[in-house]
Amino acid sequence: MGKNWPVAVGFPEGARLIRTAVDRPDYQDAYAMKLRPGMPRDPAAWTGILRDAFPIAAQQDGEALMEVSTAGLDAWASIVVDDEYVTLCSSVQTNALRSRLYWGVVKRIHPFMARAMMARTHRRLALAAEKAA
């Protein structure tokens, strides 16, 4: 699974916070990559996936939850780290016509952008782990 590029997966077992963040999600996805030796196991170390633009709203048991709401969307992202994988989860609920129109455009590029941001952060943290070893 996902050594150099994230692969689509279901929400992992440890994604408890994001499962309860949105009542009736209109969209959910998750992408995972295999951790390399020495990479951080603290999900807070992975918030760079979202360019550290969104603060952690909650954190527990290997999961960090961030509110990424914009343009009338209820949107949440979760980073789950277990012994083998790091997983980026997204959950979105549209609340009005404006948010449905906005999400109708954004959801077409969201999978590519989520994977690209995750791969970039994974590469950066892998290089840091190699240098520290």
Side-chain angles (χ1 to χ4, degrees):
M1 176 183 299
K3 182 177 178 184
N4 295 313
W5 189 251
V7 295
V9 296
F11 281 6
E13 184 178 320
R16 292 178 188 89
L17 294 172
I18 197 161
R19 281 191 175 94
T20 60
V22 178
D23 289 333
R24 295 175 323 276
D26 296 310
Y27 178 90
Q28 290 184 314
D29 65 8
Y31 303 100
M33 291 184 79
K34 191 160 182 63
L35 292 168
R36 294 185 183 169
M39 293 181 91
R41 295 328 198 237
D42 178 1
W46 290 86
T47 59
I49 291 173
L50 300 175
R51 299 189 187 268
D52 295 317
F54 304 100
I56 294 174
Q59 186 171 351
Q60 74 178 31
D61 302 327
E63 180 182 18
L65 181 69
M66 295 163 286
E67 183 177 9
V68 294
S69 298
T70 184
L73 297 173
D74 281 338
W76 295 83
S78 169
I79 299 168
V80 180
V81 181
D82 61 27
D83 292 335
E84 293 185 67
Y85 299 99
V86 57
T87 306
L88 173 64
C89 307
S90 302
S91 189
V92 177
Q93 180 179 14
T94 57
N95 298 315
L97 177 60
R98 178 179 175 223
S99 63
R100 283 190 288 281
L101 292 172
Y102 175 80
W103 184 246
V105 173
V106 172
K107 76 178 177 184
R108 297 188 191 315
I109 61 169
H110 169 78
F112 175 78
M113 293 303 298
R115 287 176 171 153
M117 293 185 303
M118 187 175 190
R120 182 196 74 238
T121 301
H122 188 275
R123 190 170 39 254
R124 180 178 51 81
L125 292 174
L127 287 172
E130 287 175 15
K131 288 180 184 178

